[in-house]
Amino acid sequence: SGCGTFTFLSSAVAAVSGLLMGYELGLISGALLQMSSVLALSCKQQEIVVSSLLIGALFASLSGGFLIDQFGRRLAIIIASSLLVLGSLILLPYESYGMLIVGRIAIGVSISLSSIATCVYIAEIAPQHRRGLLVSLNELMIVIGILLAYISNYTFASVPHGWKYMFSFVIPLGALQAIAMYFLPPSPRFLVMKNNDEAARKVLERLRETSDATKELTVIKSSLKEEHQYSFLDLFRSKNNMRARMLVGLTLVFFVQTTGQPNILFYASTVLKSVGFQSNEAASLASTGVGVVKVVSTVPATFFVDQVGSKTFLCIGSSVMAISLVTMGLVNRNIHVNFTNVCRSQSPEDFFLQTTGNLTGVINGSLKDLFASVVSPERLSSDAQRRPDVVRTGELNRTALAGGNSKTRALMESEEVPVVLKWLSLASLLVYVAAFSIGLGPMSWLVLSEIFPGGIRGRAMALTSSMNWGINLLISLTFLTVTELIGLSWVCFIYTIMSLVSLAFVIVFIPETKGCSLEQISMELAK
């Protein structure tokens, strides 16, 4: 039952999907700036370019489960990598709005399919005492991919056709992953599902570096014998507690989105500027600073989850998120934040300073920040009364110049604010990012890969993934309106309440799965 070199290598190659996903999620902000200028895209067209990835992701989440369960987890990863290469190749030679949409849809299908298949594949090849580490490796790769995208955005910001270089970097890596996955073994549990027991035994012996894997194979066969008979509708029936398991999975991804991580992060640089940070400093912090914090925070969660347990990390993450959100809300009650129509009123250079690096995928993969970077942020203002001793700062007033294509210039009033308030805002934001990165970010997808039976795991993961993308879209379309109505501080307080509710949900309903095999978990939950 050991975790040999071959098991780790197989997991690492599969987790390259996470790196590619994170890179694509973080890339669009910088790339869109150049593409919108070259292709003369309107605000609505920019929205469609970004949302086309979401359309592809939703399609894959609804149909990918059948592909994963019918043809295998490994094949699904190969197809996803190939689609990513194809989508990127479509984007490069053509400077066409239509081809841009087609390429983005293909990339959306790819990252959604790979996010489901990778978690399932790694969970099924990993030994029980190392499953948390290996599955969480995918989340670590996602945040590293986001950080690399931030760096790429800055590097090619002023390079002619730099967006083509940005998109081209994933092509060789995606192709190499597809080739490497071809030579790696299928999931032994999938082989048993297809009645290929001898091949499954050989794969287990190779993965565990043992000459006899009969015992583990027997446990898998015994578990899958009943599970293989599941239909999709059984996910909503009381049979083996499947309906309760599905409700737990759907509720968990609901909290991933509604605790506010993607929304808050989009406005990181603007909020920091409003409390006294210079624009360049704030933009740099929002990209590399937040990216580094996400990577550093994900590392301990990845390496200690098998000792500490996913439930404990979820509780810690939700608790710390609630504390930091309360702090952010109180700070914002004393600050007047005024947003303007970014996609119309700013030059690409100015827009780049504000938006680069504000895209952070989450685990498990969120598109709010992708969507929000092209949705027109009209005027968001906190409704809180400010104390007399706190001076309003950072208010951005845009005035349009006469003429058809004239660019609007920004005038910015900046006055002193209390130093404590300034640094408290920064600290609370980074703590919030760190808390999500050790809790709901990586642990939600680990739990989802464990609580469903093997015979229907792919379809169950696909359904929860479609819930994730769907809620993401809903929040993306309503966040600006809600914030305008009630103010940013009250949005933070609402996210605080959601974090506390998620904490209660985790304590009551999420099982502790550390040290248990997938078969043990399934049998226990069936009761």
Side-chain angles (χ1 to χ4, degrees):
S1 62
C3 181
T5 304
F6 184 66
T7 303
F8 184 80
L9 177 64
S10 301
S11 301
V13 172
V16 170
S17 295
L19 182 71
L20 296 172
M21 177 181 180
Y23 186 82
E24 288 291 347
L25 289 175
L27 188 68
I28 187 61
S29 177
L32 187 63
L33 298 173
Q34 294 190 1
M35 291 188 294
S36 60
S37 176
V38 172
L39 301 178
L41 300 178
S42 66
C43 289
K44 177 58 66 176
Q45 287 176 322
Q46 291 178 47
E47 291 175 9
I48 294 174
V49 167
V50 176
S51 61
S52 60
L53 184 141
L54 182 56
I55 293 171
L58 277 171
F59 172 77
S61 66
L62 293 171
S63 59
F66 172 79
L67 175 65
I68 292 169
D69 282 339
Q70 191 67 30
F71 300 103
R73 293 77 162 112
R74 184 188 63 157
L75 181 60
I77 296 174
I78 293 174
I79 293 174
S81 299
S82 303
L83 272 175
L84 184 71
V85 172
L86 178 63
S88 300
L89 286 173
I90 290 174
L91 294 173
L92 295 182
Y94 305 102
E95 293 186 357
S96 161
Y97 174 65
M99 296 305 292
L100 191 59
I101 299 299
V102 173
R104 293 294 293 168
I105 290 176
I107 291 174
V109 171
S110 168
I111 64 174
S112 179
L113 181 60
S114 67
S115 68
I116 304 168
T118 300
C119 287
V120 175
Y121 178 78
I122 296 177
E124 292 187 344
I125 67 171
Q128 63 192 53
H129 66 288
R130 286 289 180 265
R131 187 175 59 251
L133 166 66
L134 296 179
V135 173
S136 297
L137 183 64
N138 185 58
E139 172 66 17
L140 179 61
M141 296 291 270
I142 289 174
V143 295
I144 291 174
I146 292 171
L147 184 56
L148 291 176
Y150 294 161
I151 296 172
S152 177
N153 285 343
Y154 276 117
T155 304
F156 294 100
S158 58
V159 176
H161 299 288
W163 62 274
K164 292 191 175 184
Y165 295 106
M166 297 179 194
F167 282 116
S168 65
F169 283 147
V170 299
I171 294 176
L173 190 57
L176 285 173
Q177 187 198 27
I179 295 170
M181 286 300 301
Y182 178 79
F183 293 101
L184 293 179
S187 159
R189 287 171 174 81
F190 174 73
L191 291 173
V192 173
M193 284 167 54
K194 297 302 179 183
N195 298 316
N196 198 344
D197 294 356
E198 183 60 26
R201 183 182 62 80
K202 292 180 180 179
V203 169
L204 279 172
E205 290 174 354
R206 193 177 178 192
L207 290 170
R208 305 293 180 259
E209 296 184 348
T210 180
S211 58
D212 186 11
T214 305
K215 183 178 179 180
E216 185 174 0
L217 180 63
T218 302
V219 174
I220 293 173
K221 288 172 63 178
S222 176
S223 176
L224 290 179
K225 186 175 181 180
E226 297 178 4
E227 294 176 359
H228 190 60
Q229 304 303 317
Y230 284 118
S231 68
F232 180 76
L233 292 179
D234 286 330
L235 289 172
F236 307 98
R237 294 171 180 155
S238 59
K239 178 182 178 183
N240 289 334
N241 229 12
M242 286 304 301
R243 183 166 53 210
R245 297 196 217 186
M246 178 51 63
L247 286 174
V248 167
L250 293 176
T251 307
L252 196 56
V253 297
F254 172 80
F255 284 124
V256 169
Q257 295 296 329
T258 57
T259 49
Q261 176 85 175
N263 295 329
I264 292 294
L265 282 173
F266 170 67
Y267 294 107
S269 62
T270 309
V271 169
L272 289 173
K273 282 194 295 181
S274 71
V275 293
F277 289 92
Q278 297 299 318
S279 59
N280 286 357
E281 179 184 0
S284 176
L285 176 67
S287 57
T288 57
V290 171
V292 169
V293 167
K294 285 188 72 67
V295 172
V296 171
S297 303
T298 305
V299 170
T302 300
F303 286 98
F304 294 107
V305 62
D306 290 307
Q307 290 77 37
V308 177
S310 56
K311 183 171 183 174
T312 302
F313 272 122
L314 282 168
C315 291
I316 294 172
S318 296
S319 303
V320 177
M321 283 171 65
I323 295 171
S324 58
L325 281 165
V326 165
T327 306
M328 290 173 65
L330 293 174
V331 169
N332 278 293
R333 284 182 67 85
N334 297 287
I335 300 168
H336 183 80
V337 184
N338 189 8
F339 295 82
T340 59
N341 192 329
V342 177
C343 75
R344 288 196 185 96
S345 67
Q346 285 184 277
S347 67
E349 294 78 11
D350 294 333
F351 184 39
F352 182 75
L353 289 175
Q354 264 193 267
T355 59
T356 295
N358 290 328
L359 304 181
T360 57
V362 199
I363 261 60
N364 32 33
S366 173
L367 289 176
K368 162 65 197 82
D369 24 6
L370 292 180
F371 218 89
S373 58
V374 292
V375 173
S376 305
E378 290 297 337
R379 295 182 62 184
L380 306 176
S381 59
S382 70
D383 59 340
Q385 295 181 350
R386 299 179 299 281
R387 298 195 312 266
D389 59 315
V390 178
V391 184
R392 180 179 65 185
T393 181
E395 180 176 352
L396 303 180
N397 298 303
R398 311 288 186 189
T399 54
L401 298 178
N405 295 321
S406 298
K407 296 179 181 178
T408 303
R409 300 192 177 276
L411 300 175
M412 180 173 166
E413 299 176 4
S414 181
E415 298 178 12
E416 292 299 322
V417 293
V419 174
V420 173
L421 197 65
K422 172 179 175 179
W423 289 104
L424 190 59
S425 176
L426 169 61
S428 60
L429 174 67
L430 295 182
V431 170
Y432 174 62
V433 171
F436 182 85
S437 298
I438 68 170
L440 284 171
M443 299 306 151
S444 299
W445 300 101
L446 172 60
V447 171
L448 290 173
S449 70
E450 295 175 330
I451 63 175
F452 298 110
I456 200 171
R457 187 173 291 130
R459 282 165 285 177
M461 286 284 288
L463 184 59
T464 55
S465 179
S466 63
M467 174 86 162
N468 183 61
W469 294 113
I471 297 175
N472 202 322
L473 176 59
L474 178 64
I475 292 176
S476 299
L477 295 175
T478 59
F479 174 71
L480 295 175
T481 303
V482 171
T483 308
E484 187 173 14
L485 288 173
I486 65 175
L488 191 58
S489 61
W490 283 104
V491 170
C492 290
F493 294 145
I494 290 174
Y495 291 155
T496 301
I497 295 172
M498 297 307 297
S499 297
L500 292 174
V501 175
S502 72
L503 173 62
F505 171 78
V506 168
I507 292 173
V508 176
F509 294 106
I510 299 297
E512 182 55 80
T513 58
K514 67 176 180 179
C516 300
S517 69
L518 293 177
E519 288 70 38
Q520 290 172 329
I521 295 170
S522 186
M523 286 188 289
E524 186 66 28
L525 292 180
K527 302 174 184 178

